[in-house]
Amino acid sequence: MTTPTTALKTPAPGSAGAGTGAPAGRPPRRGRSVSPRGHSGWTPWLYLLPALVLLAGLLVYPIYQLGLISFLEYTQAQVSGGEPTTFQGFGNYATLFNDSQFWQVLLATVLFAAACVVSTLFVGCALAVLLTRIRALPRLALMMAALGAWATPAITGSTVWVFLFDPDFGPVNKVLGLGDFSWTYGRYSAFALVLLEVLWCSFPFVMVTVYAGIRAIPTEVLEAASLDGASQWRIWRTIMAPMLKPILIVVTIQSIIWDFKVFTQIYVMTNGGGIAGQNLVLNVYAYQKAFASSQYSLGSAIGVVMLVILLAVTLVYLRLVRRQGEEL
């Protein structure tokens, strides 16, 4: 008579608990993932190293030089070697912040950028919705026209717009019956003219991006809302806009950055900032201080202020994108 023995089950190689000492039915503890060569922590950085070196040369070093000059007394006398360069500390910033014109230009820049962003988003989103409701041939024509405006260099587009609104030879005044009205003479009319040009070359980005987002929305949702009797505005406000929120955040922040840095349109269309500087924005103001007045340290200080403002906007953008990514 044989005595039954208890068979010990040995885990198969590669199964949970094999060679780990973990109790049966309990998954083993996860250790630190290491590549076969032991470079798990450094491998991604090695791939990014060429791009980081390039960015350091093209971005970090110029920013360092910009900040350094903003703390020095650096004018034409120092550039030519006639006088030594001296350290001013925050003296250039104190001079800048005590200048009433700086605050006027800053306010004008913020208001102008806000008007450009709102106009660009409104026109871009409206045309994106229109693209979903027209036939293929008109949609292709609209897309080609918009991409043509987007691809036009800023200086070329600005020159064309100046000609179109010229008081003597421009066709716009003749069509509207405005005679020899000068759009660039008044402060607000000049800003309005530049705004139209910025809108013309900026709305295609918003239109194409939002249109791609709309096409990703399930058609069943939009058809159900239409069958329920919802108007187009209600469909946009209650369905499209919430679903397009991540895309709208991206285009809004990027439009803010682009429109806050407007230079070419203002400089070309208002001949360097308008009569007595009435159409100055921060970029043109910094250019005038640095190169027209040879006050390179003040121009650098304005550049640093703009960098800080745009960096704050960028950090808000990254935080919103990260939050949206966690929700999705």
Side-chain angles (χ1 to χ4, degrees), residues 117 121 205-206 209-210 246-256:
V117 170
L121 291 177
F205 168 73
V206 178
T209 306
V210 175
I247 295 178
L248 293 176
I249 290 175
V250 171
V251 297
T252 300
I253 299 301
Q254 290 188 348
S255 297
I256 291 174

Side-chain angles (χ1 to χ4, degrees), residues 121-324:
L121 291 177
F122 177 78
V123 174
C125 292
L127 291 179
V129 175
L130 178 63
L131 286 175
T132 63
R133 304 188 61 81
I134 59 179
R135 296 183 180 274
L137 187 59
R139 180 167 60 246
L140 178 61
L142 180 56
M143 290 284 287
M144 293 299 294
L147 293 177
W150 194 10
T152 303
I155 190 169
T156 304
S158 301
T159 304
V160 170
W161 275 77
V162 169
F163 168 75
L164 292 175
F165 288 85
D166 185 83
D168 298 322
F169 306 103
V172 175
N173 280 12
K174 295 179 180 179
V175 172
L176 298 179
L178 296 178
D180 58 351
F181 175 75
S182 177
W183 290 82
T184 58
Y185 182 79
R187 182 186 186 189
Y188 298 106
S189 60
F191 270 129
L193 181 60
V194 178
L195 186 148
L196 290 176
E197 202 280 333
V198 173
L199 171 63
W200 174 74
C201 65
S202 300
F203 84 86
F205 168 73
V206 178
M207 183 190 72
V208 172
T209 306
V210 175
Y211 173 70
I214 293 176
R215 299 296 295 179
I217 298 177
T219 56
E220 296 81 3
V221 178
L222 302 179
E223 291 175 355
S226 299
L227 292 176
D228 289 340
S231 62
Q232 290 300 318
W233 167 247
R234 186 174 181 85
I235 292 176
W236 166 261
R237 183 172 57 88
T238 60
I239 298 177
M240 289 186 178
M243 298 183 72
L244 295 173
K245 188 176 179 181
I247 295 178
L248 293 176
I249 290 175
V250 171
V251 297
T252 300
I253 299 301
Q254 290 188 348
S255 297
I256 291 174
I257 295 174
W258 290 343
D259 295 337
F260 194 82
K261 299 189 303 179
V262 166
F263 174 83
T264 304
Q265 291 87 344
I266 289 286
Y267 191 82
V268 173
M269 300 179 70
T270 65
N271 196 20
I275 300 174
Q278 62 182 3
N279 296 113
L280 284 175
V281 293
L282 279 180
N283 241 350
V284 181
Y285 184 60
Y287 176 84
Q288 286 191 353
K289 287 293 185 182
F291 298 102
S293 303
S294 298
Q295 298 177 346
Y296 303 106
S297 53
L298 281 179
S300 299
I302 298 172
V304 171
V305 171
M306 291 186 61
L307 177 64
V308 171
I309 294 174
L310 293 178
L311 182 61
V313 174
T314 304
L315 292 177
V316 172
Y317 157 70
L318 293 176
R319 183 176 180 181
L320 291 174
V321 169
R322 182 179 180 184
R323 182 180 302 174
Q324 291 297 324

